[in-house]
Amino acid sequence: MDPVIWYPGHEKRIGPIVSAKNCTLYDEHGSRYTDLESGVWCTSVGHAHPRILKVMAGQAERLAHTGFSFSSQVVDEAALEILALHGFEGGACTFLCSGSEAVEYGVRVARQLSERPLFLTMSDSYFGAYGSASTRGKEAWLPFDWSGCEACPHQGPCSSACDLWKNIPFESVGGFLFEPGSSSGFVRFPPTKLIEGLARTIHQNGGLLIVNEVTTGIGRTGRWFGYQHYDVVPDIVAMGKGIGNGYPVSVAACSKRVMERLGTPIPYSQSHQNDPLGAAIAREVIRIIREDDLIRRSNELSALLTQGLHTAMNKYDHLKAVRARGLMVAVDFKDTAGTPFTTKVHQHLLDHGYVVGRRPEASTLRLDPSLTIDESDLHGFLTTLDTLLAAEETDHA
């Protein structure tokens, strides 16, 4: 029996992996794999980045962990840099361990400030493994099904002229928890006018906008944060995954307005809250992305990758759709019940050394490479996919 419990649908398929560098993994036999999933969105600047390793070693040698009654200057410095990214000068943030935790912290802050019982969210969003946002009970959460909004025929902003909009009880909504693109791993981006209309209306009614940037943040979508593709101003932002580059650190950031209204912080504490090691790593990730101009680079790489995928979609009949923002990319395949073709593609890519993301039993593959990935790795992936699709057409000719 395997001594490690693996989540169903994400079983161990390769390995053991013994080392990694940037986007390349090596197993115990010396086989090489290209990680096009960033270790599930996490390694934003690549595995074993030398600057991250140096910071980790140096900070761990000086001070890795603190208690509730003492801290370190690096925590303050990291907090200020993160707050500045959001324009949250005068606000505050707390360092935690996981994205789920950061989302839950933000929700608890918003709940404490809200006098209304319901929080709105998109019905296909994922917010973490525990807490109120993960369970989304009917007494506290209002899921909004936006599946019909992409093809909305109406011009102008969302309004009560729309039955979907008219059915939102804004008078009972105290906040909007927004995930700008993951859609539980399927990579769907809600329409601009819908999100901007919801955020505007909720703010006008005194509510709060909480944004879950665990998957979409830290340069993933071609901007620092996914919400920056919309004309909205968040009150609370949850960050995780890429901000630690594989190290388990997350951040919940609150605007100045929120902190002024909050007064006393919410009663939430855990053993590794505001640890200097996690804060030092988060600060270095931000500095690497800024100094190496990786957000600009990610948009260039996104254009290369999506152009290749669209070429394949026009060339072969098996591809149904391509969705992308920056280096958050999804490919839908034309498939039948049980997704046999998508399963075949997924395994074929793995057999040829390419690790991509896939939701269990879904006909979608996800590509979320590090912002530092080599162009040659993307060309290699596209060539491997093209070869498979060409062979399929030949077999069925």
Side-chain angles (χ1 to χ4, degrees):
M1 180 180 290
D2 194 327
V4 177
I5 299 171
W6 293 86
Y7 182 77
H10 296 288
E11 289 81 4
K12 184 168 53 178
R13 292 178 177 270
I14 59 174
I17 298 299
V18 296
S19 65
K21 188 170 182 63
N22 196 18
C23 295
T24 303
L25 313 174
Y26 299 92
D27 70 13
E28 60 181 356
H29 304 295
S31 298
R32 177 186 184 276
Y33 298 87
T34 299
D35 182 5
L36 294 174
E37 198 184 11
S38 297
V40 196
W41 286 295
C42 290
T43 53
S44 53
V45 296
H47 295 278
H49 193 291
R51 285 179 57 176
I52 298 295
L53 295 179
K54 183 177 180 180
V55 164
M56 288 179 72
Q59 187 61 51
E61 185 178 26
R62 290 188 297 275
L63 179 67
H65 171 71
T66 56
F68 295 139
S69 301
F70 62 102
S71 186
S72 169
Q73 184 177 352
V74 69
V75 180
D76 290 344
E77 292 173 353
L80 289 172
E81 292 197 26
I82 290 168
L83 292 167
L85 291 176
H86 299 287
F88 280 3
E89 288 80 0
C93 62
T94 190
F95 294 86
L96 301 160
C97 294
S98 73
S100 298
E101 196 177 5
V103 172
E104 177 64 14
Y105 188 95
V107 169
R108 291 193 191 185
V109 169
R111 289 275 183 207
Q112 185 154 317
L113 296 178
S114 176
E115 297 179 355
R116 298 187 178 98
L118 294 177
F119 273 30
L120 181 71
T121 187
M122 301 291 102
S123 58
D124 59 347
S125 296
Y126 175 79
F127 295 121
Y130 68 92
S132 169
S134 70
T135 58
R136 284 188 279 188
K138 293 181 179 180
E139 74 288 348
W141 291 92
L142 179 66
F144 181 83
D145 182 1
W146 62 278
S147 57
C149 297
E150 288 182 290
C152 177
H154 302 293
Q155 300 298 316
C158 297
S159 70
S160 57
C162 168
D163 288 338
L164 291 175
W165 185 273
K166 184 167 54 180
N167 290 331
I168 300 174
F170 284 107
E171 68 282 358
S172 299
V173 176
F176 174 25
L177 178 52
F178 173 44
E179 181 193 51
S182 173
S183 293
S184 297
F186 288 101
V187 185
R188 301 185 183 113
F189 306 104
T192 298
K193 73 173 184 178
L194 171 65
I195 297 305
E196 292 177 359
L198 290 173
R200 180 177 60 252
T201 303
I202 286 169
H203 271 156
Q204 289 173 346
N205 290 348
L208 297 172
L209 174 60
I210 313 104
V211 185
N212 170 19
E213 291 284 354
V214 174
T215 59
T216 52
I218 317 302
R220 170 57 55 199
T221 66
R223 298 191 180 180
W224 271 108
F225 298 99
Y227 73 78
Q228 292 171 338
H229 293 275
Y230 303 88
D231 185 14
V232 299
V233 179
D235 300 289
I236 300 169
V237 181
M239 294 152 278
K241 291 188 181 289
I243 202 165
N245 201 54
Y247 183 84
V249 61
S250 62
V251 186
C254 302
S255 68
K256 180 180 180 181
R257 170 176 170 255
V258 167
M259 295 308 299
E260 288 176 343
R261 288 180 58 190
L262 187 64
T264 303
I266 63 169
Y268 185 100
S269 63
Q270 53 101 309
S271 301
H272 297 283
Q273 195 166 353
N274 296 326
D275 268 351
L277 180 55
I281 293 169
R283 181 184 64 174
E284 193 66 13
V285 167
I286 290 168
R287 291 179 176 181
I288 290 169
I289 292 174
R290 180 186 294 117
E291 293 166 17
D292 292 351
D293 201 14
L294 292 182
I295 294 178
R296 177 194 59 78
R297 183 176 187 272
S298 74
N299 282 299
E300 294 175 353
L301 295 175
S302 176
L304 183 160
L305 181 57
T306 55
Q307 181 179 349
L309 290 170
H310 279 110
T311 297
M313 187 166 65
N314 293 331
K315 187 176 179 182
Y316 304 111
D317 189 50
H318 288 93
L319 273 67
K320 181 179 180 181
V322 175
R323 295 181 298 282
R325 273 184 184 164
L327 288 175
M328 175 178 270
V329 182
V331 183
D332 292 340
F333 291 91
K334 297 176 183 177
D335 216 336
T336 56
T339 64
F341 182 72
T342 309
T343 300
K344 181 178 181 178
V345 174
H346 191 216
Q347 188 61 51
H348 177 89
L349 290 170
L350 195 59
D351 292 342
H352 287 76
Y354 293 95
V355 179
V356 300
R358 184 191 179 194
R359 282 293 306 274
E361 306 303 320
S363 58
T364 300
L365 297 183
R366 201 183 63 243
L367 308 169
D368 313 291
S370 302
L371 310 186
T372 53
I373 192 169
D374 292 335
E375 284 190 25
S376 60
D377 288 328
L378 298 181
H379 284 299
F381 161 77
L382 291 169
T383 298
T384 301
L385 180 64
D386 183 86
T387 301
L388 169 64
L389 296 174
E392 284 293 319
E393 287 216 344
T394 299
D395 290 344
H396 291 86

